[in-house]
């Protein structure tokens, strides 16, 4: 079945450090891929998405590229801020379905 | 911009009681999804509705039922509540765009505590 594997957290970085959160997936066909962010006590907010191979999603300085050859969708940011502290979820949705499958989430803590 | 509205935001119930969670999707969104997120866990898909019909089903217990109404709002009914049902319940909605489906827009969630 379809699944998403994320690197385990927590990840603790200093402000302005480079961030990478790894995400790999298993799916048939060509799923759409997403990164959602969850701040404490809040719902899931879409951070970025990619719907086909080699697409790059980007938002608020975050980027992720849909790599079909390595079945990956790693999240990166060149310079993190304290306000980026949150839990980040990688997710996929297979074509023709309504179901989103989430990874286990990676907690990021950025220190000033 | 309008967002997905969930009510109530917090709910405390005793074991074996029933609970009803409500979800109001973004206007013109035709699909609603329900997810359950346990403490420190990833959201688990429960069920989805497209145009008032069940479109997909996940790990929803038989004690739970849901439906989408003519105004597209949805309700998740939970009976014989157990301690393990304590979780954050998210509703999300989406709509068709350019022959595809948009990403899911999530509500703030309803935190259910069963005591």
């Amino acid at each position: 079945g379809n699944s998403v594997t994320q690197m385990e957290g927590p990840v603790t970085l200093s402000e302005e450090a480079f961030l990478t959160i790894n995400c790999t997936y298993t799916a048939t066909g060509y799923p759409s891929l997403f990164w959602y962010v969850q701040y404490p006590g809040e719902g899931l907010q879409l951070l970025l998405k990619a719907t086909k191979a080699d697409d790059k999603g980007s938002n608020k300085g975050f980027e992720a590229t849909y790599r079909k050859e390595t079945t990956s969708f790693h999240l990166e940011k060149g310079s993190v801020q304290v306000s980026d502290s949150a839990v980040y979820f990688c997710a996929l949705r297979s074509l023709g379905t309504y179901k989103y499958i989430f990874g286990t989430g990676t907690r990021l803590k950025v220190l000033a | 911009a309008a967002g997905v509205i969930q009510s109530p935001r917090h709910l405390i119930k005793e074991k074996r009681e029933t609970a009803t969670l409500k979800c109001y999707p973004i206007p013109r969104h035709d699909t609603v999804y329900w997810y359950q997120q346990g403490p420190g866990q990833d959201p688990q898909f429960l069920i989805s509705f497209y145009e008032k019909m069940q479109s997909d089903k996940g790990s929803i217990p038989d004690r739970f039922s849901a439906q989408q109404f003519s105004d597209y709002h949805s309700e998740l009914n939970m009976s014989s509540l157990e301690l393990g049902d304590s979780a954050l319940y998210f509703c999300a909605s989406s709509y068709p765009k350019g022959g595809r489906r948009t990403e899911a827009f999530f509500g703030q969630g309803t935190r259910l505590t069963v005591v």
Side-chain angles (χ1 to χ4, degrees):
Chain A
N2 297 342
S3 65
V4 174
T5 302
Q6 271 182 252
M7 65 184 286
E8 291 190 18
V11 173
T12 303
L13 296 173
S14 298
E15 205 165 26
E16 298 183 3
F18 184 84
L19 168 72
T20 299
I21 300 178
N22 290 338
C23 171
T24 57
Y25 67 91
T26 301
T28 54
Y30 298 88
S32 294
L33 302 174
F34 308 83
W35 277 100
Y36 280 86
V37 58
Q38 185 175 31
Y39 297 99
E42 298 191 9
L44 297 162
Q45 299 175 25
L46 178 69
L47 183 58
L48 53 83
K49 66 180 180 181
T51 57
K52 60 183 187 294
D54 300 324
D55 265 2
K56 176 186 281 188
S58 61
N59 185 29
K60 300 180 182 178
F62 291 90
E63 291 183 343
T65 302
Y66 189 139
R67 302 282 189 203
K68 186 152 181 68
E69 63 276 13
T70 54
T71 62
S72 65
F73 193 55
H74 305 321
L75 182 68
E76 297 182 335
K77 186 174 185 182
S79 176
V80 293
Q81 305 300 312
V82 172
S83 57
D84 294 327
S85 299
V87 179
Y88 292 81
F89 290 95
C90 184
L92 71 81
R93 179 172 59 83
S94 291
L95 193 64
T97 74
Y98 295 86
K99 184 167 62 174
Y100 286 70
I101 295 172
F102 287 86
T104 51
T106 302
R107 181 175 299 278
L108 170 66
K109 185 173 183 179
V110 180
L111 305 176
Chain B
V4 176
I5 306 296
Q6 290 187 247
S7 69
R9 289 294 308 279
H10 302 273
L11 190 59
I12 299 175
K13 289 286 187 177
E14 295 188 354
K15 282 193 303 183
R16 294 180 288 279
E17 284 193 318
T18 61
T20 297
L21 278 52
K22 296 186 178 182
C23 170
Y24 298 87
I26 295 171
R28 290 184 293 280
H29 284 207
D30 58 7
T31 299
V32 167
Y33 315 76
W34 285 98
Y35 282 82
Q36 177 191 57
Q37 185 180 29
Q41 298 186 3
D42 56 298
Q44 293 293 314
F45 175 74
L46 294 178
I47 196 167
S48 64
F49 292 88
Y50 165 65
E51 284 289 344
K52 293 153 279 183
M53 299 289 288
Q54 180 182 307
S55 55
D56 216 335
K57 192 173 183 180
S59 51
I60 183 169
D62 292 340
R63 299 176 289 108
F64 294 6
S65 64
Q67 62 183 121
Q68 186 179 29
F69 294 87
S70 57
D71 63 351
Y72 294 97
H73 94 272
S74 178
E75 295 184 2
L76 178 65
N77 298 294
M78 311 159 71
S79 62
S80 303
L81 287 169
E82 302 173 357
L83 296 178
D85 296 329
S86 296
L88 196 54
Y89 290 83
F90 286 111
C91 174
S93 70
S94 70
Y95 68 102
K97 181 179 180 183
R100 301 181 68 100
R101 181 151 295 278
T102 67
E103 67 275 12
F105 294 79
F106 282 80
Q108 297 279 68
T110 293
R111 183 168 296 283
L112 172 66
T113 303
V114 181
V115 298

